[in-house]
Amino acid sequence: MKRTVKIFASVLLIAAAVVPLAAQNASQSVKPSRNIAAIVGMPQDEAGKCGTAAMLYALSHMNQLSASQRAQVALAMQRSEKQKNRLSPSRKFRIHYDTSGSDTPALITSGSNPQRLPNTYEQFVDSAALFLDNAWKLEVDTLGYTAPPQDGSAGGGPEIDVYIENIGSGYYGFTTQDSILEDGLRQRWTSFITIHNDFLGFYSPGMLGLRVTTAHEFHHTIQIGSYGIWPAQPEFDRWFLELTSVWMEHNAYPQIKDYYQYLPDYLQRFKDGFNHSYSFNSSHFGGYERCLWALYLEKRFGKNLMKEIWEGIRTVPVLNSTAGVFPAHGTTFETEYALFNSWNFFTADRADPLRYYDEGRNYPRMYPNVTTSFSGLTAAVNSAAYPLSFQSYQIVLTSDTLNAMITNTNVNGALNPASGTSSLHLSLSATDLQPPYQKVARGLGMTFTADTMSLWRAIYFLSSTKANANVAPDVSPNPINLSRDQKLVLPVQGATASTAEVFLLNASLELIYSKQYQVRQAFGNSYLDVPAGDLKAAVATGVYFVFARCGDQEFKWKVAIIK
């Protein structure tokens, strides 16, 4: 995207006029702020551990910044001049650091009141070098990601440059775009890394913070340099860059649970002021909290699926690439996104590490969007959802709680930043069941309606059993009104074939309609969807026998049809 590149270049020129790069050294009493989030007024819920997200935010909002803000951003994005530098053992990283001044790295003591240990800067750098080399071995040599590009002579050689500084403001580190390698709808850049000089007072202090930060930031250099970013996407899809780098921390150091601190942002706070959950690709929050998506994909398909998505990003943006990888695995983005959302019910006391997240017991409980009570006759929820979002509605019964898990799978809507919410309606009743409805436990029926029903998925769980509340599936809706209802859903539990032949017979057992349909999988159940439009020309109002032949299996029902 040419405009972004020109803006970025002009920002650097402004900075050069303000203060020469050579003057930016640790001996100065005043150095440029690295807190880009504060400089540009980044919303608090979008900032986080990694300054890379703030930089991408700044570049995507550059047209809205003042000249002063642009100059400050440019200074924050410049390389520092350090007193010493040396290569890691693999000679793939050049580490720049000070031996005196406020940026000097140090180990810290353990215990309840940790302190910096004087004259331990070389030991800190030794550790950083080891952890950086380990990151390369894991991410490039083992997992097979393309190595980041070299930067020529910048920083003193072609190695990846890593600067150690007292970043402040809670940043563990950040990766900065440096020289552009490829321009257009997709961009690739060389980059350099900046990491904190002691991690004192952090959620993961000292060496714990250093370990996860090296794994995290090194993957940013891979993302930006080898696969590219798409500037036309809102804030360059930085949410996906961050969730991938957090997931990479967990791959490198599964014993360090730094990612736990961000999970409440997704499971409990990922909502607007009306308690509508944000679109999954929203820029709200940093993206760290959505590492759950990568953990889900890893357990379902193995570690390589995330790399498949990144390979696709070479040619299309994140959501398009994600949608493109699943057909080869026999599924769809919509199906997996809905199933992922159901997994998020099974955390804390509901956790089942065999079937869901391995560490789900340590995750917080998901907060519902709306809680209401069942009166004994009915309960209703009128709400709305953003495209590609998940909503949880809790209905309190006399001695249990029914949890309605509603997923909007509208990927195309999520690609449009101007998309608003779509209305939805839930109604739980003991007597007045309006189709389409799903029979749930305790003799109740749940009606769910929304525009374009094909874009929605719904599943219901009881809190007492932590199990699917759907009663043994029945034909839905029954009766079906061909002028009002969109489709006839036929449950074919245990079906082993991918297609089935559907037959309709009248009361005289005469065949009046037959057609083959695909078997649809949803939350462990198998269904056939017969569009109402297929039946309109073939049937009149009446009661029909419906048969489905799926391989060697046969299913049958009696259905009332209203023309």
Side-chain angles (χ1 to χ4, degrees):
M1 182 178 175
K2 296 282 188 182
R3 181 172 57 84
T4 302
V5 179
K6 290 177 180 177
I7 290 172
F8 180 61
S10 68
V11 168
L12 292 179
L13 289 173
I14 291 171
V18 174
V19 58
L21 178 59
Q24 302 304 305
N25 58 57
S27 64
Q28 288 183 296
S29 60
V30 178
K31 63 178 182 177
S33 170
R34 300 300 191 192
N35 191 346
I36 294 181
I39 293 170
V40 301
M42 187 178 185
Q44 185 62 38
D45 68 354
E46 298 180 32
K49 68 187 289 179
C50 174
T52 307
M55 291 182 183
L56 294 175
Y57 177 93
L59 292 180
S60 65
H61 290 80
M62 198 62 72
N63 283 336
Q64 290 81 50
L65 300 182
S66 68
S68 173
Q69 287 174 311
R70 293 187 188 190
Q72 292 178 70
V73 169
L75 286 174
M77 296 177 71
Q78 289 186 357
R79 295 171 181 257
S80 297
E81 287 291 324
K82 293 298 175 187
Q83 296 162 1
K84 291 186 66 174
N85 72 79
R86 58 183 167 98
L87 297 177
S88 68
S90 71
R91 305 186 71 82
K92 291 181 168 65
F93 298 90
R94 184 178 294 274
I95 304 170
H96 304 256
Y97 61 104
D98 286 341
T99 59
S100 63
S102 62
D103 286 340
T104 303
L107 304 179
I108 63 173
T109 61
S110 59
S112 59
N113 185 31
Q115 303 291 323
R116 285 169 55 92
L117 288 169
N119 301 316
T120 55
Y121 45 83
E122 297 295 354
Q123 294 95 317
F124 186 101
V125 175
D126 287 342
S127 298
L130 173 65
F131 301 152
L132 287 162
D133 282 350
N134 287 344
W136 185 292
K137 290 175 186 176
L138 170 67
E139 298 174 28
V140 176
D141 298 340
T142 301
L143 297 180
Y145 287 84
T146 302
Q150 295 181 335
D151 62 3
S153 61
E159 308 83 12
I160 297 173
D161 293 296
V162 180
Y163 296 84
I164 301 176
E165 293 188 18
N166 179 15
I167 307 171
S169 69
Y171 284 158
Y172 285 59
F174 51 87
T175 299
T176 305
Q177 294 159 269
D178 197 20
S179 298
I180 192 161
L181 300 172
E182 186 176 336
D183 190 13
L185 294 177
R186 180 186 68 128
Q187 296 176 353
R188 292 191 305 111
W189 300 74
T190 63
S191 60
F192 61 90
I193 294 171
T194 305
I195 60 176
H196 202 278
N197 68 336
D198 57 28
F199 299 94
L200 181 65
F202 283 65
Y203 185 92
S204 297
M207 292 294 100
L208 299 179
L210 181 59
R211 284 182 172 92
V212 296
T213 300
T214 50
H216 183 114
E217 298 303 334
F218 176 61
H219 206 266
H220 279 327
T221 71
I222 291 173
Q223 297 162 4
I224 294 169
S226 300
Y227 298 94
I229 54 179
W230 292 77
Q233 300 302 303
E235 298 182 19
F236 304 171
D237 283 330
R238 58 182 173 82
W239 60 276
F240 189 74
L241 278 67
E242 293 298 352
L243 79 82
T244 304
S245 281
V246 172
W247 173 70
M248 198 58 69
E249 297 174 18
H250 184 67
N251 275 272
Y253 302 103
Q255 73 278 17
I256 302 176
K257 311 302 182 184
D258 191 80
Y259 78 100
Y260 283 5
Q261 65 179 306
Y262 301 104
L263 299 186
D265 286 342
Y266 188 68
L267 295 174
Q268 299 177 342
R269 296 190 283 267
F270 200 70
K271 304 175 179 71
D272 68 10
F274 299 97
N275 268 345
H276 302 145
S277 294
Y278 294 118
S279 296
F280 190 65
N281 63 324
S282 167
S283 60
H284 291 278
F285 295 91
Y288 321 101
E289 70 293 332
R290 277 162 275 183
C291 64
L292 287 171
W293 173 239
L295 292 167
Y296 163 81
L297 294 178
E298 178 184 355
K299 187 154 187 177
R300 286 271 292 151
F301 303 100
K303 295 182 189 295
N304 197 57
L305 191 112
M306 284 295 288
K307 185 161 73 72
E308 290 180 33
I309 295 174
W310 276 103
E311 291 293 339
I313 291 171
R314 296 183 193 269
T315 55
V316 292
V318 170
L319 289 186
N320 306 80
S321 176
T322 304
V325 302
F326 287 115
H329 296 272
T331 185
T332 66
F333 186 9
E334 292 82 359
T335 296
E336 294 307 318
Y337 177 60
L339 187 57
F340 160 68
N341 290 324
S342 74
W343 275 39
N344 292 326
F345 179 79
F346 296 99
T347 62
D349 54 304
R350 299 168 178 157
D352 181 346
L354 293 179
R355 297 175 61 193
Y356 306 110
Y357 299 116
D358 293 344
E359 300 177 10
R361 288 193 180 96
N362 302 317
Y363 299 171
R365 249 200 191 213
M366 181 179 61
Y367 283 177
N369 298 77
V370 174
T371 299
T372 189
S373 297
F374 180 64
S375 66
L377 296 176
T378 187
V381 174
N382 292 297
S383 189
Y386 291 101
L388 199 65
S389 71
F390 166 71
Q391 321 294 319
S392 171
Y393 305 111
Q394 193 175 74
I395 301 176
V396 180
L397 310 176
T398 302
S399 57
D400 209 338
T401 300
L402 183 68
N403 302 273
M405 323 291 281
I406 308 297
T407 298
N408 182 296
T409 65
N410 185 1
V411 178
N412 289 333
L415 289 169
N416 179 6
S419 295
T421 59
S422 299
S423 298
L424 62 92
H425 174 76
L426 279 168
S427 179
L428 181 68
S429 176
T431 56
D432 184 22
L433 299 179
Q434 299 297 320
Y437 65 85
Q438 170 65 55
K439 291 181 179 178
V440 294
R442 307 182 186 279
L444 303 175
M446 180 75 83
T447 300
F448 169 65
T449 55
D451 292 337
T452 318
M453 289 291 289
S454 62
L455 296 176
W456 300 81
R457 304 287 188 274
I459 188 170
Y460 311 108
F461 292 113
L462 282 173
S463 290
S464 60
T465 61
K466 307 173 192 172
N468 192 329
N470 294 0
V471 175
D474 201 353
V475 176
S476 177
N478 192 4
I480 179 172
N481 187 323
L482 300 184
S483 299
R484 182 185 62 195
D485 302 320
Q486 294 184 339
K487 60 185 176 181
L488 179 67
V489 179
L490 306 175
V492 286
Q493 291 303 95
T496 56
S498 60
T499 61
E501 190 81 14
V502 174
F503 307 90
L504 263 73
L505 284 69
N506 62 18
S508 301
L509 300 182
E510 298 171 322
L511 178 65
I512 61 169
Y513 178 82
S514 68
K515 189 174 180 179
Q516 191 174 75
Y517 292 94
Q518 291 288 323
V519 176
R520 170 173 61 88
Q521 302 293 328
F523 304 111
N525 299 321
S526 302
Y527 300 94
L528 298 171
D529 296 329
V530 181
D534 288 4
L535 303 176
K536 282 184 178 179
V539 303
T541 296
V543 176
Y544 295 83
F545 297 99
V546 180
F547 294 83
R549 185 176 296 128
C550 188
D552 296 332
Q553 299 166 293
E554 191 171 273
F555 305 85
K556 56 185 177 179
W557 308 269
K558 184 182 288 187
V559 178
I561 298 178
I562 302 171
K563 188 69 174 283

